[in-house]
Structure formats: structure tokens, C-alpha cells
Amino acid sequence: WSLIIGTIFETTLEVILTYRFNKFRPKFTLVRYKRQLKFSNYFFIMSIFGYLRSRLENFAIIALFGVKGNAFYSIAQEIAFLPMSELVQPLQRGFYSTAARLRASKQQMFELYSKQSNWILLILVPCFFGLLAVQDLFTKVVLGDTWLEAGTIMPIFTATTIPFSLYMLVNSILTIENKFKYIIAVDVMYTVLLA
């Protein structure tokens, strides 16, 4: 219950503070509704491909290695993604809005991307090598002997967080630039490659 209450409290506090620091109040309007509808359609398609890609992974792992293999895969992925989800993604929260403000200046947007990329690499590369160095000890201490097989694939997932985090920055820039077709094309290629 403390996790549920903590999450609700954190989200509520975040929403209240954003309205405190930014006086913008959303209101219903149909101005530029075609542009909003176009954005929503692309966003909907991107969400479908993202969901299909994540489910396709699980179906493929279960088909190849059974339910136990999927458990190892899921636990390894969850732990390996922690540096990305708990350290990098909070740093990326302000990237989209800052990049959107810099949209007119490609040079400034590129500099922002470079700085953000450097922070991502500064966090994730040491995490990768650290996990690689202590994967067996980490798995035994944190998960126990039953999960040793999961420990062997954790560094692979940690390595994939590096290009994935960088791609998320590119994804934000492509969204700002209304280049949804490129985002969908990359998602389709990734899904086909994964299949």
C-alpha cells in the first residue's frame, strides 16, 4: 500500500507543482483541430507498434524457451533497465519541452541533443561495465541461485539501453519536427527485425 500511496502522492504533487511553476491553464478549443487529429492518429499508430513489439518479444521467447525462459528474460530485462528508467528517463523529462522551444534553431537543438546524449552515456556506460563485472555476485545476492541464468543476459539488456535511450531523444526531435513517418518506419523495421 505504501508504494501505491507514494505513487499517487508523487503524481499529485508533480501535477500541482507544474501548475504552480507554469501559469498555463489548458482549455477546450477546436483551433487547429486537424493538426491535433493528425498528431493523434500518428501517435495512436506508434502506440500500436510499440505494444505489438513488446508482446512479440514475449511470444517469441515463450515459443523458443518456454514460460521459464520468459521469466528469466523478463526479470533480466527489468533489472537491466533500472538505470535507464530510474536515472536516465527522469533526466529526459525536460528534453522535449526544451527542444520544442529551440525548434527554430537547428544548431541549438543539436547542441541540446549532444549534451543530453553525453549525460546518457555518462550514466549508462559505467552501469553496463559495472553489471558486466559483478553480474554473478549481483544475481546471487539480489535474486538468489534460482535466477543465475537471468544474470547472464542482464549485461546484454543493459547494453541495449544505451542505443534505446539515444533513440528516445531522436524520437522526441522527430515528434517535434512532425516526422511521424520516420518514427513509424523505424518501429516497423525493428518489429520485423525482432520477428
Side-chain angles (χ1 to χ4, degrees):
W1 281 107
S2 63
L3 290 174
I4 294 169
I5 292 168
T7 303
I8 292 171
F9 178 75
E10 176 189 15
T11 305
T12 304
L13 187 64
E14 188 176 339
V15 168
I16 290 170
L17 288 177
T18 57
Y19 282 108
R20 172 76 175 103
F21 291 119
N22 188 351
K23 300 298 183 191
F24 173 75
R25 296 290 185 260
K27 59 185 178 209
F28 180 77
T29 179
L30 293 176
V31 175
R32 292 185 261 172
Y33 76 93
K34 288 183 181 179
R35 184 175 171 204
Q36 292 175 358
L37 190 61
K38 182 180 177 182
F39 177 84
S40 297
N41 286 338
Y42 278 119
F43 205 76
F44 179 69
I45 293 168
M46 291 180 335
S47 298
I48 289 172
F49 274 105
Y51 179 78
L52 286 175
R53 186 179 61 236
S54 67
R55 294 304 106 206
L56 186 62
E57 284 179 28
N58 291 112
F59 286 131
I61 296 298
I62 289 171
L64 294 171
F65 304 105
V67 176
K68 186 177 179 181
N70 191 49
F72 288 138
Y73 179 88
S74 298
I75 290 293
Q77 185 180 49
E78 183 73 27
I79 291 173
F81 280 16
L82 283 175
M84 182 182 69
S85 63
E86 300 301 320
L87 298 173
V88 170
Q89 285 177 345
L91 285 174
Q92 288 181 337
R93 284 185 182 161
F95 178 81
Y96 185 86
S97 60
T98 306
R101 275 189 262 137
L102 299 175
R103 182 179 184 186
S105 171
K106 303 296 183 210
Q107 177 66 31
Q108 287 181 322
M109 191 182 287
F110 179 74
E111 288 173 9
L112 177 67
Y113 175 81
S114 297
K115 288 177 184 175
Q116 195 76 19
S117 299
N118 289 339
W119 276 109
I120 289 170
L121 294 173
L122 186 65
I123 292 169
L124 293 180
V125 170
C127 288
F128 167 69
F129 285 111
L131 187 58
L132 192 62
V134 298
Q135 71 187 29
D136 293 333
L137 178 64
F138 177 84
T139 307
K140 283 182 184 177
V141 171
V142 175
L143 299 175
D145 291 333
T146 309
W147 297 93
L148 285 177
E149 289 180 58
T152 59
I153 58 175
M154 270 187 236
I156 297 167
F157 283 122
T158 306
T160 64
T161 63
I162 297 167
F164 182 72
S165 294
L166 295 174
Y167 169 69
M168 292 310 293
L169 294 178
V170 173
N171 195 352
S172 295
I173 292 171
L174 291 173
T175 302
I176 291 166
E177 295 291 325
N178 291 320
K179 307 280 186 190
F180 298 109
K181 293 176 183 174
Y182 293 117
I183 298 171
I184 293 170
V186 169
D187 274 347
V188 168
M189 285 188 307
Y190 181 78
T191 305
V192 169
L193 182 66
L194 185 65

